[in-house]
Amino acid sequence: MPLLPAPLILRDGVPYSETYADVYHSQAGAMAQCRAVFMTGNGLPERWQGRESFQILETGFGLGLNFLTTWHEWRRLGSTAPRLHFVSLEQAPFSDADLGRALSAYPELAQESKLLLSAWPPLTPGIHRLHFDEGRVILHLVLGDMADLLPQLTLAADAVYLDGFSPRTNPVPWSEPVLRQIARLCRHGATLASWCVAGHVRRTLERQGFHTTRAPGFGTKRERLSACYNRIPEDTWRKIVQRLEQPALQATLRPPPRRHALVIGAGLAGCLVSAALGSRGWQIDLCDGQSGPAQEASGNPAGILRPFPSLDDNRAARLARAGFLTTLHWLANLKGGGEVLPHALNGVLRIARDAPEAAHLCALSRAPGSVEALLRWLPRVEAERLGRCAAPWGALFYPTAGWLDPGQFCRTALAQTPHLTTHWGHPVTLRPGPAGWEARTRTGTLLAQAPIAILAGGAHPLPLDTAPPWPRQRLRGQITQIERSPVPAGTPVLCSSGYVIPDAPGGPCLGATYDLGADTAPRLADRAENLQRLTALGWNDGSGHSVVRERVAFRSVSRDRLPIIGPVPGAEGLFALTALGSRGLVWAPLGADLLCAWLEGDPLPLEKDLVRAVAPARYR
C-alpha cells in the first residue's frame, strides 16, 4: 500500500496524532525525554566508548527527535565517537514541509535538522539510507508497516529505543510478534529502553530473553523501563566462555579475515565496490585485463539513471528504486568532494508509442511506490513542450533522473579510494590458497592475494577453474553518436524503443541495440536502427546527421534479469557483484553498499526478500 504522510497537528505546542490520540513526545521536552529515557536507559553515551561501530534500533521515528538528539550527543564526543547506525521504522512519516515546520521549534537541533531535511527521501516504502558527517552517521529510515518490515531487516542492534504511541491506541509496537523480531535483531548483551512499563510488555520481553528493570521515570511518568538481552541463558553462556578459554579449543577458532580484498574487474561494479570498501579502511587489490578502468561497457560516454517501476511494485521495481536513490547519494557525496563528474539530472521522458502503452505508463504513475517526486504522467502538450519532440500519446516523466558518464564515475570513485593497488593488463584466474584467494596470471604468476575476493568482471567468463552454473547471457549493444543535437541543450533524456541522450559528452548519444552477437565491430544495420530513433521522435529520418562515433560493448544479463550480488555458496570468502545488464548505474552503487555492509557487519541496506532475490544462492 502507498504510504500516507502524517498531518502535522499541534496541541499546546506539542505535535499530536489524531489517529492514535497521543502526543509525539512529553510536554517536558523531546530532547530531555530522549536523554532521560532512551539514552540513559541504554547507558549512552558511556557504552559508545572504545567502540568502532554502534547500532541503534528504534520502533517509531516520528519527528526524528530521538535520532537528532542522539546524533547531537554523538557529535559532542568528537573523534572518539564510533560509526553510528540508527535504524528507525515509521509507517506514517511527515512530508518534508511539515517536518521542517515541526523541527523549527527545536533550535538546539537546528544544524542536525537542516541536514536531515536536505536529505529527506521521497516517501516510498522500504529502507532509505541517509548519510551524514562523511558517512560516519547513517540513518536507516525504514518506511512502511512495522509488523511487515521488521522480519525483513538484518542488523545486530547494540541498543533499542522501544518507542511508539500508547499501547491502548497503538498496540502493534508492543505486541509479541514485534517484540520477538526485536529480540531477533539484537546482539547478545544489547540493551533496551522505553517509557512504557506496562505489565504485558515487560512479560513479553522477559519471554524473548530480556531481563527487565523499572527505573525512575521522566515528566509525568513515574517509571521507565530498562532491559538487557541475553540471547543465550547466562549459565549456558558461562559454560561456552569457559570452553572457549581452553587453549586446545582456541586453535580451532578462525580469526576474522584481514580487511583486504581482491576485486576482479574494473567496470562500474569493481570500481564502486573498491571505493566502498576502501572508504572503510580496507586494502584493495583491483585487477583487470584492460589498460585501465571502465574500458568496456562502463566506458560508454553516457548512461541513463532512472527507476523502473511496475504496477505491483515487484522485487525488480523495488530494487531499481533503491538503487536509483543510492546512486543519487553517491553522486551527492562525489560532488561534495569537489570532483567534476559529467552528468545532468534534469529528467527522463519515457514516451508512449501507442494508446495501450500510454494507458500502462499512466497507470504506473499511480502504482504503489510511485510518488510525484520520482515520476508523474504528462499529457501530450506538456510532454512535447518538455521533450521538444513528438509525443502524441503523452509520456511518463522522471524529474530527478537523467544521465551520467559511467567511465568518469569509475575514475572519480577510484581517485577517492585510499589503500588501493591496481593491476592492469593482466587477465587473472582466482584460486584458493593458504592466505585466502590468489589472483594468478595466465602463466601462473601470483599477482595478488587476499582473504576476500569479489567477482565483478561483467560479461567476461568467471575467472575460476570451476565456475558456478549461473545462467548468464552475454548481450551485444551498439551506440551511435552524432555531431549536433537536433534539440536545445538541457533537453531531458528521451526513451521510447531506445533512447536519445541529447547532452552526452562528445555529441548526442543514440542507442542501444540489444542482441546475442559476438562481433566487436560496429554494424551499419545497428547504426540505421539507432538513427531511426530520431525519426520516431519526429526529428526527420536521421540522414542529415553526421555520425562521429560508434561503440560496441557487451552486457552480462541473468536469466531473471536481476543482478547477482552476495556470497558465493561453497566458496568461503568469495563474493559476486555481476550480471548488472544495462542497469549498471542503478545497481552497481547499491551492490557495492550491500557487499560492504555484509563484510563490515553493518545493517543491510535491503530487505531480506530483495537480498535473497539477488543472491548467488538462488541458483543452487
Side-chain angles (χ1 to χ4, degrees):
M1 296 295 293
L3 292 174
L4 299 177
L8 179 61
I9 300 171
L10 299 177
R11 283 199 175 181
D12 300 324
V14 177
Y16 178 83
S17 170
E18 288 188 338
T19 303
Y20 300 109
D22 201 358
V23 293
Y24 277 85
H25 61 76
S26 167
Q27 292 277 0
M31 291 184 70
Q33 176 178 287
C34 178
R35 292 189 181 108
V37 175
F38 297 109
M39 296 196 70
T40 299
N42 279 293
L44 302 177
E46 291 78 13
R47 287 181 60 223
W48 280 335
Q49 301 300 322
R51 295 289 299 273
E52 184 176 338
S53 179
F54 200 86
Q55 299 181 23
I56 297 175
L57 173 63
E58 181 187 44
T59 53
F61 187 77
L63 295 170
L65 291 167
N66 286 339
F67 165 67
L68 294 170
T69 303
T70 303
W71 180 16
H72 185 80
E73 295 299 318
W74 177 93
R75 283 181 149 190
R76 291 174 60 182
L77 292 179
S79 60
T80 63
R83 185 179 299 273
L84 178 62
H85 292 274
F86 197 100
V87 183
S88 186
L89 296 102
E90 182 56 60
Q91 184 170 358
F94 286 98
S95 67
D96 55 352
D98 280 349
L99 186 63
R101 283 193 290 270
L103 293 180
S104 65
Y106 307 92
E108 308 97 316
L109 299 171
Q111 189 175 11
E112 291 83 3
S113 298
K114 181 180 179 181
L115 293 171
L116 174 63
L117 291 168
S118 67
W120 195 242
L123 300 184
T124 57
I127 301 173
H128 298 264
R129 295 212 315 168
L130 312 181
H131 297 250
F132 305 103
D133 286 344
E134 299 180 343
R136 297 196 63 241
V137 173
I138 301 179
L139 170 61
H140 306 252
L141 186 60
V142 187
L143 301 183
D145 183 81
M146 181 185 302
D148 292 338
L149 285 171
L150 271 172
Q152 294 281 353
L153 299 183
T154 305
L155 68 142
D158 298 287
V160 178
Y161 292 4
L162 187 59
D163 200 7
F165 296 113
S166 169
R168 293 190 302 275
T169 56
N170 186 29
V172 172
W174 318 98
S175 64
E176 183 153 359
V178 164
L179 297 181
R180 185 184 307 121
Q181 289 297 326
I182 288 173
R184 179 185 68 83
L185 295 170
C186 287
R187 71 171 80 243
H188 180 79
T191 58
L192 177 148
S194 179
W195 54 266
C196 178
V197 292
H200 75 278
V201 173
R202 288 187 287 109
R203 289 189 294 272
T204 303
L205 287 171
E206 293 278 358
R207 286 195 297 272
Q208 304 308 321
F210 286 93
H211 175 69
T212 66
T213 57
R214 286 181 285 189
F218 171 78
T220 58
K221 293 287 294 182
R222 188 173 61 185
E223 293 179 311
R224 58 178 171 84
L225 182 70
S226 289
C228 183
Y229 180 59
N230 289 313
R231 185 181 291 273
I232 303 172
E234 188 172 350
D235 57 342
T236 305
W237 180 253
R238 190 179 299 111
K239 293 176 183 177
I240 292 174
V241 171
Q242 289 171 352
R243 291 186 63 199
L244 294 180
E245 288 174 348
Q246 297 175 21
L249 288 175
Q250 277 187 343
T252 66
L253 297 177
R254 292 188 177 183
R258 291 176 294 114
R259 298 171 91 187
H260 183 190
L262 274 171
V263 179
I264 311 302
L268 274 169
C271 291
L272 298 190
V273 75
S274 297
L277 290 172
S279 69
R280 298 295 297 272
W282 282 63
Q283 180 182 343
I284 305 296
D285 277 278
L286 177 60
C287 307
D288 196 285
Q290 298 289 347
S291 59
Q295 298 295 301
E296 300 193 28
S298 297
N300 282 348
I304 300 173
L305 174 64
R306 71 171 178 93
F308 295 86
S310 69
L311 292 177
D312 58 351
D313 204 29
N314 59 30
R315 292 181 305 177
R318 290 161 54 207
L319 275 166
R321 183 170 65 241
F324 171 72
L325 296 173
T326 299
T327 304
L328 293 184
H329 287 305
W330 273 72
L331 291 175
N333 290 337
L334 290 177
K335 285 174 65 178
E339 300 291 338
V340 177
L341 174 60
H343 72 287
L345 301 179
N346 57 340
V348 171
L349 271 175
R350 184 180 171 189
I351 298 166
R353 290 171 289 183
D354 51 35
E357 187 177 32
H360 174 72
L361 295 181
C362 186
L364 283 179
S365 67
R366 302 188 296 267
S370 297
V371 293
E372 281 211 353
L374 293 181
L375 71 161
R376 62 177 182 269
W377 172 253
L378 298 182
R380 173 179 182 173
V381 174
E382 282 189 73
E384 292 187 341
R385 181 175 65 248
L386 185 62
R388 280 97 164 184
C389 64
W393 303 103
L396 194 60
F397 182 50
Y398 303 87
T400 56
W403 67 269
L404 65 138
D405 181 338
Q408 189 59 40
F409 195 6
C410 292
R411 291 185 287 274
T412 302
L414 289 185
Q416 298 184 11
T417 303
H419 320 298
L420 173 68
T421 302
T422 56
H423 307 273
W424 305 129
H426 294 287
V428 300
T429 299
L430 273 179
R431 293 181 182 138
W437 289 93
E438 299 177 345
R440 294 187 175 271
T441 65
R442 288 173 177 170
T443 61
T445 303
L446 179 64
L447 199 63
Q449 57 185 340
I452 299 295
I454 298 172
L455 302 170
H460 286 285
L462 296 174
L464 300 166
D465 291 332
T466 304
W470 297 337
R472 300 188 306 157
Q473 284 184 311
R474 189 170 185 261
L475 297 179
R476 181 185 183 278
Q478 180 173 322
I479 62 163
T480 301
Q481 286 191 274
I482 58 177
E483 187 174 9
R484 288 183 300 274
S485 175
V487 296
T491 302
V493 173
L494 304 172
C495 298
S496 185
S497 56
Y499 61 78
V500 177
I501 305 176
D503 297 332
C509 186
L510 320 176
T513 58
Y514 213 78
D515 60 64
L516 289 169
D519 52 313
T520 58
R523 302 172 183 164
L524 289 177
D526 288 359
R527 173 190 293 188
E529 180 180 336
N530 285 336
L531 290 174
Q532 181 62 28
R533 307 188 199 287
L534 299 174
T535 304
L537 295 168
W539 294 336
N540 67 49
D541 61 0
S543 59
H545 296 285
S546 174
V547 174
V548 296
R549 186 189 184 196
E550 292 185 285
R551 194 172 190 276
V552 174
F554 295 88
R555 319 168 183 93
S556 175
V557 181
S558 70
R559 180 174 57 202
D560 57 10
R561 296 300 191 265
L562 294 179
I564 300 174
I565 309 172
V568 178
E572 184 179 355
L574 184 63
F575 291 76
L577 175 50
T578 186
L580 306 186
S582 56
R583 300 181 182 179
L585 289 173
V586 174
W587 282 334
L590 178 65
D593 282 356
L594 177 58
L595 289 189
C596 185
W598 215 313
L599 290 167
E600 283 286 295
D602 295 342
L604 294 190
L606 286 174
E607 299 94 308
K608 274 187 176 180
D609 64 330
L610 299 184
V611 173
R612 293 191 185 106
V614 301
R618 71 188 190 264
Y619 295 120
R620 293 194 74 173

